[in-house]
C-alpha cells in the first residue's frame, strides 16, 4: 500500500485533486492506517489484561519454583535423586488440576498453593530414603519461609554450622563440661538475638541446674 501511494504521487501530473486514482489510494491508506492503529490499541489492551491476569498467579508460580529447587538440591546428597523438569511439571500441573475450586480468588490461590506443596512433597518422599525425608522437609520449609521473609538467614546458618569464625571465644567457659566449640557457639548465639542472650545469662547464673540438664 505504501509503495502504491508513493508510486502514484511520483507519477502524478497536474493537479493532484484531479487524480481520482491517487485520491482513492489516499483514502484507502487513511482507512487502513486508522484500522491498524485501532488493532494496535486493542492488542496493547489485551496484552495489559493478560499481564494483569498472569500477575495474580505469581504467588503460585513462586511456590512452584521454590519446591522445584528444593527437590533439585537433593541431588547434592545422592546423585540418584536427580529430578527432571518434565517430571516436576507433571506433578505441578496435576496439583493445579486437583486443587479445590473456589469463586473467591484468594481462596483459590491458597488451595492451589496447598495442593502443589502437598503433592510435590508426597511425590518427592516416595523416591527418597527414609533418613532423608526429614532433611527434605526442613529444606523445603526454610526455603518457603525465607522467600516469605519470615526467617533470619543468619540464625539458620548458625543452626546448621555454628560459629564458623576462626577466632577463639571472647572469654573462657566458666565450666569444664562444656566444650570449647559449644561455649563459642553459645557466645555467638547471644549476638544474634535477645532471646539467645537471655539463655546465655541464665546459663551463667544457674550453672548447677544446667549441669543437671546436661547430664540427663
Amino acid at each position: 500500500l505504501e509503495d502504491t501511494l508513493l508510486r502514484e504521487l511520483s507519477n502524478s501530473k497536474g493537479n493532484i485533486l484531479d487524480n481520482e486514482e491517487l485520491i482513492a489510494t489516499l483514502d484507502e491508506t487513511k482507512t487502513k492506517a486508522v484500522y491498524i492503529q485501532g488493532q494496535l490499541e486493542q492488542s496493547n489492551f489485551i496484552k495489559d489484561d493478560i499481564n494483569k491476569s498472569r500477575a495474580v498467579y505469581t504467588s503460585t508460580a513462586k511456590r512452584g519454583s521454590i519446591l522445584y529447587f528444593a527437590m533439585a538440591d537433593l541431588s547434592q546428597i545422592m546423585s540418584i535423586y536427580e529430578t527432571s523438569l518434565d517430571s516436576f511439571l507433571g506433578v505441578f500441573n496435576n496439583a493445579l488440576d486437583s486443587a479445590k475450586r473456589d469463586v473467591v480468588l484468594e481462596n483459590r490461590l491458597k488451595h492451589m498453593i496447598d495442593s502443589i506443596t502437598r503433592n510435590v512433597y508426597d511425590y518427592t518422599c516416595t523416591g527418597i530414603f527414609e533418613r532423608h525425608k526429614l532433611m527434605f522437609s526442613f529444606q523445603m520449609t526454610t526455603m518457603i519461609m525465607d522467600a516469605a521473609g519470615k526467617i533470619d538467614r543468619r540464625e539458620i546458618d548458625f543452626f546448621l554450622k555454628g560459629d564458623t569464625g576462626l577466632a577463639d571465644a571472647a572469654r573462657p567457659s566458666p565450666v569444664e563440661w562444656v566444650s570449647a566449640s559449644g561455649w563459642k557457639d553459645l557466645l555467638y548465639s547471644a549476638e544474634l538475638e535477645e532471646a539467645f542472650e537471655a539463655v546465655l545469662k541464665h546459663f551463667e547464673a544457674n550453672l548447677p541446674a544446667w549441669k543437671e540438664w546436661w547430664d540427663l
Side-chain angles (χ1 to χ4, degrees):
L1 184 61
E2 182 181 356
D3 292 340
T4 302
L5 178 59
L6 292 175
R7 184 174 62 254
E8 292 291 342
L9 287 171
S10 62
N11 295 332
S12 177
K13 297 179 180 179
N15 192 347
I16 295 180
L17 298 177
D18 294 335
N19 190 332
E20 296 181 358
E21 185 177 355
L22 177 60
I23 297 300
T25 302
L26 288 172
D27 288 339
E28 183 182 3
T29 301
K30 180 179 179 180
T31 300
K32 289 190 175 182
V34 172
Y35 173 77
I36 293 173
Q37 181 63 30
Q39 292 296 102
L40 288 174
E41 292 178 357
Q42 183 178 5
S43 65
N44 288 333
F45 175 79
I46 295 174
K47 178 182 178 181
D48 292 340
D49 192 45
I50 292 174
N51 288 336
K52 290 179 181 178
S53 299
R54 183 174 58 184
V56 171
Y57 296 93
T58 300
S59 59
T60 305
K62 183 177 180 180
R63 176 59 60 88
S65 175
I66 292 171
L67 295 174
Y68 172 73
F69 286 109
M71 291 176 60
D73 285 346
L74 287 171
S75 62
Q76 298 182 24
I77 302 174
M78 298 186 70
S79 59
I80 61 173
Y81 289 161
E82 290 186 2
T83 304
S84 68
L85 181 59
D86 288 339
S87 297
F88 172 80
L89 290 176
V91 179
F92 182 84
N93 291 329
N94 289 335
L96 293 179
D97 293 337
S98 61
K100 183 180 178 181
R101 308 287 175 176
D102 200 302
V103 294
V104 180
L105 180 59
E106 291 184 0
N107 294 339
R108 171 63 174 160
L109 293 175
K110 182 179 182 301
H111 295 324
M112 293 170 68
I113 291 174
D114 290 345
S115 179
I116 294 168
T117 306
R118 181 176 60 254
N119 285 23
V120 171
Y121 176 79
D122 291 342
Y123 173 81
T124 304
C125 286
T126 58
I128 61 178
F129 292 115
E130 190 69 29
R131 66 179 183 271
H132 294 145
K133 291 181 180 179
L134 182 60
M135 184 184 301
F136 172 67
S137 300
F138 178 80
Q139 173 77 347
M140 185 181 72
T141 302
T142 53
M143 289 179 69
I144 291 173
M145 294 179 66
D146 189 29
K150 296 181 178 180
I151 200 168
D152 189 330
R153 194 71 244 177
R154 296 184 308 157
E155 292 182 6
I156 287 296
D157 290 341
F158 171 71
F159 176 77
L160 295 174
K161 307 172 186 177
D163 182 5
T164 57
L166 300 178
D168 293 333
R171 61 180 189 272
S173 171
V175 291
E176 296 181 354
W177 42 270
V178 173
S179 65
S181 61
W183 174 246
K184 184 181 175 183
D185 287 342
L186 187 57
L187 292 177
Y188 181 78
S189 67
E191 300 175 3
L192 296 177
E193 183 70 35
E194 290 183 5
F196 298 148
E197 183 180 5
V199 172
L200 174 60
K201 291 179 179 179
H202 188 276
F203 175 81
E204 293 179 311
N206 300 273
L207 293 177
W210 279 93
K211 182 62 168 64
E212 292 180 10
W213 175 81
W214 182 270
D215 292 336
L216 291 178

